[in-house]
Amino acid sequence: MLLPRVVAGGLLAQVAVCTISLSIAPAKNASKPLLESFVSYSIEFSSFPDFAGNSTQPNDFSYTLLNNLRDLQGSYPIIRVGGNTEDYATFNGSQSDALIGSFNFNRSKDYPTTISIGPSYFDSYSTWPGVTYVHGFNLGKNGSAGHDTLVGTVPLVCKALGVNKTAYWELGNEPDLFKTSSQGPVRPSWWNETYYVQEWLNKTGLIRQLVQQNCPDVISQGKFKFYSPNFAGTSNSLNMITTWKAGLDADKDIAFIDSHNYIGGATQPGVTLQGTLMNHTSTVLSINKHLNETRLLAYTGLPYILGETNSLYNEGAPGLSNSFGAALWGVDFNLYCAATGIARVHMHQGTNYRYQSWQPIDTVNATKGTKAPYYGNIMVASFLGNLTAGNVSIADFELGNIHQNAYGAYVDDRLERIAIIQLTAYNSTFNGSGSGVAINSKPRPSETFSFQLPAAQVTALKGINVQRLLANGSDAITGITFDGISYNLELEGGKPVKMNNVTSGEVLTAAQNGTISVTLPWSSAAIINLQW
Ligand SMILES: *[C@@H]1O[C@H](CO)[C@@H](O)[C@H](O)[C@H]1NC(C)=O
Ligand SMILES: *[C@@H]1O[C@H](CO)[C@@H](O)[C@H](O)[C@H]1NC(C)=O
Ligand SMILES: *[C@@H]1O[C@H](CO)[C@@H](O)[C@H](O)[C@H]1NC(C)=O
Ligand SMILES: *[C@@H]1O[C@H](CO)[C@@H](O)[C@H](O)[C@H]1NC(C)=O
Ligand SMILES: *[C@@H]1O[C@H](CO)[C@@H](O)[C@H](O)[C@H]1NC(C)=O
Ligand SMILES: *[C@@H]1O[C@H](CO)[C@@H](O)[C@H](O)[C@H]1NC(C)=O
Ligand SMILES: *[C@@H]1O[C@H](CO)[C@@H](O)[C@H](O)[C@H]1NC(C)=O
Ligand SMILES: *[C@@H]1O[C@H](CO)[C@@H](O)[C@H](O)[C@H]1NC(C)=O
Ligand SMILES: *[C@@H]1O[C@H](CO)[C@@H](O)[C@H](O)[C@H]1NC(C)=O
Ligand SMILES: *[C@@H]1O[C@H](CO)[C@@H](O)[C@H](O)[C@H]1NC(C)=O
Ligand SMILES: *[C@@H]1O[C@H](CO)[C@@H](O)[C@H](O)[C@H]1NC(C)=O
Ligand SMILES: *[C@@H]1O[C@H](CO)[C@@H](O)[C@H](O)[C@H]1NC(C)=O
């Protein structure tokens, strides 16, 4: 469906209008100014060599996609290297391969559950100049295997990253599931917050000694700071507040309170694109669980982040997590996080994962390329803008509708952008199957959103333009553009390419009374840019 036809011929059925009043000064409920690198990634530990390549064969495609985001938000996404496999990986100093993994399909079809890494694993940290990392160390392995892995890897990590590439440190992925993991518990049932904290303090003490011996400048320059405790959620077998009270930060080496989040599970009964992801209420409820923790831990003064998150756990579901609808979910999810004070969001991905933003290499399961969720990441970074240039705060305009929402971005206390997300599913193929003629092959309905701004101030605007996140339907997995731009691999290796079959550079005019209106097809999103 081409946008010009929408505008010119009015081909689309108009179904609803929504109006809200805004002022130019920040809404009272706007967030504090955001930190840089809000749009960040988490890459599965076992997949990191695929994503980054190595010094002989760097993965330039991945680097190009990271550069696109740097060009929008002003700094690179921070890369956390971790996930379940960080706690499976042991170190073998005489192994020449970067990573040797074996699969056990009873435990996971998506990643190896027995993993050995050699010194060349850390060569993958050399391929993306300017990028900073959070390396996830193994906490899951007990006894001498765990101890030897820390002793073997800490010096290699601190030398590979040094002061310039170290963002933060991490020890252990989701220890709140260690007693209950469906992939096999790694701690006894009595292992409560007290024992976890003892172990954390002991092992981070060991890491600190090793860094002091091998890379003293990392410590002297204040770069020995953790993302912690990397819990899976807010209601598992360790409680975040109790953990804090038990002295997790006794050594004052935690910089960010880190929790993880998934909206639901890939094979959970009843999960659908419309009901689970393209559902603003579901996003709100999912994030609000964390807001209680942010409130109760506000006294620490530390920012609260999502260090690993995505749509559906167990690596996402085909037809859901890899669709354009999931890209729209990602925009709503990230902007709701930004508006409610979540300080940074690391979208998780791994090789062949259904919710990945891109597939880094060709495999029998997936073709190398830019995937739908990446376009959502691009829209989020565009909306937040250059976070290193000014103070950006975000407000949730909360339209009170499960299928749509809007957000405002204030730059140095002035409304500069409005984002709108329309989440009513629209299939472009038969039953959302990816091919054939859609059952609903009637005109794509649309919805008009009007924002009432103070008329006197609107006359001071130099211009208003619109950038749209578009695809043929929520079920589309290809043909996605933001502001008419494709980042697909097959065009220019992931660099932005202007498509001539989609409109861009769309201009709006405000009515004399200060109303700005924009019409969105179902299953699409847009940014209104106010040019002061
Ligand atoms: C570097 O990556 C290439 C391509 O994956 C691989 O063939 C090579 O063995 C890697 N080098 C090392 C030292 O792991
Ligand atoms: C972001 O802002 C900083 C500070 O003004 C500037 O140096 C940098 O070039 C900007 N980056 C981009 C990508 O616009
Ligand atoms: C780290 O960054 C600083 C400042 O940009 C630079 O002077 C220094 O050479 C870098 N160090 C390494 C090891 O790249
Ligand atoms: C953990 O268990 C030990 C031994 O039962 C107990 O002394 C301690 O209070 C428990 N810690 C918490 C936070 O419940
Ligand atoms: C950690 O615990 C071990 C044994 O319980 C002890 O030998 C070691 O000194 C502790 N390390 C630190 C840094 O506290
Ligand atoms: C949207 O999500 C909420 C919360 O999970 C749920 O109660 C509701 O049924 C969902 N709506 C639809 C249309 O599925
Ligand atoms: C948040 O905390 C309040 C009390 O402070 C409690 O009533 C509510 O159930 C909590 N919500 C969640 C989602 O945990
Ligand atoms: C990947 O492809 C292989 C070979 O076709 C298959 O056995 C495996 O189940 C696939 N993995 C996933 C996660 O679909
Ligand atoms: C935040 O403030 C705006 C502007 O006053 C208002 O429209 C919106 O409903 C508020 N958001 C929430 C979540 O209350
Ligand atoms: C659209 O596709 C989804 C699957 O993605 C399917 O559940 C739904 O019934 C389809 N709707 C229509 C109207 O075909
Ligand atoms: C534009 O062209 C690309 C490839 O040529 C295609 O994938 C995409 O679906 C087209 N977009 C529209 C809106 O027709
Ligand atoms: C503002 O003007 C537009 C266009 O003339 C009109 O549709 C709208 O109803 C007006 N709004 C108000 C609040 O007067």
Side-chain angles (χ1 to χ4, degrees), residues 201-202 205-206 209:
L201 292 174
N202 182 287
L206 173 63
Q209 280 170 17

Side-chain angles (χ1 to χ4, degrees), residues 192-195 242:
N192 63 21
E193 291 85 349
T194 310
Y195 294 108
T242 311

Side-chain angles (χ1 to χ4, degrees), residues 451-521:
F451 300 91
Q452 176 70 54
L453 298 166
Q457 280 166 291
V458 166
T459 54
L461 283 170
K462 292 201 188 73
I464 308 169
N465 72 37
V466 183
Q467 297 170 296
R468 293 177 186 269
L469 181 60
L470 287 174
N472 286 339
S474 44
D475 57 337
I477 54 170
T478 58
I480 298 155
T481 51
F482 177 70
D483 196 26
I485 290 171
S486 172
Y487 296 89
N488 276 8
L489 172 67
E490 62 276 16
L491 299 175
E492 286 184 26
K495 294 202 181 81
V497 175
K498 186 138 239 84
M499 303 300 284
N500 50 27
N501 62 352
V502 192
T503 39
S504 64
E506 199 181 327
V507 169
L508 283 184
T509 357
Q512 277 194 328
N513 60 18
T515 300
I516 298 172
S517 296
V518 63
T519 298
L520 269 70

